[in-house]
Amino acid sequence: MAVSIKEFRNSFKQLNLKAAIVETVNAKREIVADLQATQMSRGERADGSKFPDYSARSVNEFGKRPGPWTLRDTGEFYRLIQIVKIDSTGWILTSLDDKTQLIKAKVRQRLGTQEDKVFGLNDTTREDFVKPHFVPELKRQLTQQTGIRIL
């Protein structure tokens, strides 16, 4: 469909990129939560580093697999991961599980740091989100706002 320059310009006046970004993330919030859980299951923190390794006692007595903590026991912590705030600059992820603050404190204690970096998509996981999920949905949102199909 051909449009005049004036129609094209008017379409872009309707563009609200910040709103489109927020709506895009909101539409894909469950995927973000699933990717966060998958990242944790690999023992990876938000900054790309690994969680501490399970102790020999955890492996031998409690059946944990050798390697970095996965923060998974009953699965409730993972099931309750969700985005609790979204704005045009990003989002905040957490788990609504009662153990969340305790888990974060244990990570900080074990690593000897003030930052737990439990929640947040690392570079690899963010890439798993952006290309297949975020970009197509953002294009859809922008097309809906402007009436111009974004390729």
Side-chain angles (χ1 to χ4, degrees):
M1 170 175 92
V3 295
S4 70
I5 291 176
K6 183 178 179 182
E7 290 171 319
F8 186 73
R9 187 184 72 216
N10 288 340
S11 291
F12 274 95
K13 285 182 181 178
Q14 298 173 31
L15 178 67
N16 184 338
L17 187 56
K18 288 182 181 183
I21 289 170
V22 170
E23 286 304 313
T24 297
V25 173
N26 193 42
K28 300 298 180 180
R29 66 189 314 127
E30 289 179 17
I31 291 170
V32 172
D34 288 345
L35 288 169
Q36 177 69 65
T38 300
Q39 175 180 295
M40 288 177 176
S41 74
R42 296 189 304 253
E44 297 173 4
R45 297 170 66 214
D47 62 1
S49 65
K50 295 285 190 180
F51 286 110
D53 284 343
Y54 284 111
S55 66
R57 180 175 181 222
S58 291
V59 172
N60 296 327
E61 289 184 35
F62 302 111
K64 297 293 184 182
R65 65 168 176 73
W69 294 355
T70 62
L71 308 181
R72 183 178 178 93
D73 193 14
T74 66
E76 193 70 8
F77 181 72
Y78 281 20
R79 277 191 295 279
L80 294 175
I81 292 172
Q82 61 183 262
I83 295 175
V84 293
K85 180 183 177 209
I86 305 170
D87 64 28
S88 62
T89 61
W91 62 74
I92 297 174
L93 276 162
T94 192
S95 175
L96 300 180
D97 188 283
D98 293 339
K99 297 179 297 292
T100 299
Q101 294 309 314
L102 176 64
I103 289 168
K104 291 172 77 171
K106 284 185 177 186
V107 170
R108 287 190 302 271
Q109 178 187 16
R110 181 74 183 270
L111 293 174
T113 182
Q114 296 296 314
E115 295 187 38
D116 54 72
K117 302 284 186 188
V118 169
F119 295 101
L121 303 184
N122 63 34
D123 290 344
T124 302
T125 306
R126 196 173 311 114
E127 195 172 297
D128 293 341
F129 173 64
V130 170
K131 289 180 183 177
H133 303 287
F134 181 80
V135 170
E137 179 63 21
L138 181 60
K139 287 178 180 180
R140 192 187 74 69
Q141 292 287 338
L142 294 174
T143 298
Q144 185 176 343
Q145 274 189 23
T146 65
I148 298 172
R149 185 168 171 252
I150 312 289
L151 301 177

